[in-house]
Amino acid sequence: QDRLVESGGGSVQAGGSLKISCASYGYTYGFNCMGWFRRPPGKEREKVATIARDGTTTYVDSAKGRFTISQDKTKLSLYLEMNSLKVEDTAMYYCAATYAHYCTSDSFNFWGQGTQVTVSS
């Protein structure tokens, strides 16, 4: 069954680092765009970072300079390295992917189940 599976979430103290991963199962071809989204407790889901097939990346302002999105050569696995973590980074983090041409929020149609990241002060 085609699916995206996140891993690597956990609890960390503010200022610490964490790297989360997303593996694809069942998909034959690399995605045109992959991304990380997050849903903080009691808040709406927001796009954290995206990476296109050509390597172009985008980040939400709060993640710039602290988070790095990357993927493997097959364009089927995705990573998010998070440094200088803050309490407000606490959220469920979701991996998403699409074969669509554009990396817009509404183009992502494959989603993982999420991995929890908790940052304590």
Side-chain angles (χ1 to χ4, degrees):
Q1 182 177 1
D2 302 346
R3 64 190 190 279
L4 302 176
V5 180
E6 302 94 337
S7 62
S11 298
V12 63
Q13 286 195 320
S17 299
L18 206 61
K19 185 175 183 178
I20 56 177
S21 303
C22 173
S24 306
Y25 297 95
Y27 299 95
T28 303
Y29 301 104
F31 298 106
N32 281 346
C33 189
M34 298 187 78
W36 289 100
F37 290 71
R38 66 186 178 188
R39 187 189 296 276
K43 296 184 179 180
E44 296 293 315
R45 186 179 67 193
E46 68 170 349
K47 184 169 59 176
V48 177
T50 64
I51 184 165
R53 175 174 285 274
D54 66 358
T56 302
T57 58
T58 67
Y59 295 91
V60 66
D61 285 347
S62 61
K64 290 178 181 177
R66 299 188 301 125
F67 292 6
T68 302
I69 189 172
S70 62
Q71 62 183 168
D72 70 341
K73 291 181 180 179
T74 66
K75 314 298 183 186
L76 288 170
S77 292
L78 186 69
Y79 310 95
L80 185 68
E81 185 158 4
M82 302 180 286
N83 298 311
S84 302
L85 281 162
K86 304 175 181 180
V87 172
E88 50 265 42
D89 293 318
T90 295
M92 183 70 79
Y93 283 72
Y94 298 92
C95 171
T98 180
Y99 289 114
H101 186 68
Y102 298 106
C103 288
T104 56
S105 293
D106 58 358
S107 70
F108 290 94
N109 52 347
F110 302 111
W111 293 85
Q113 294 299 306
T115 186
Q116 178 68 36
V117 172
T118 303
V119 185
S120 59
S121 59

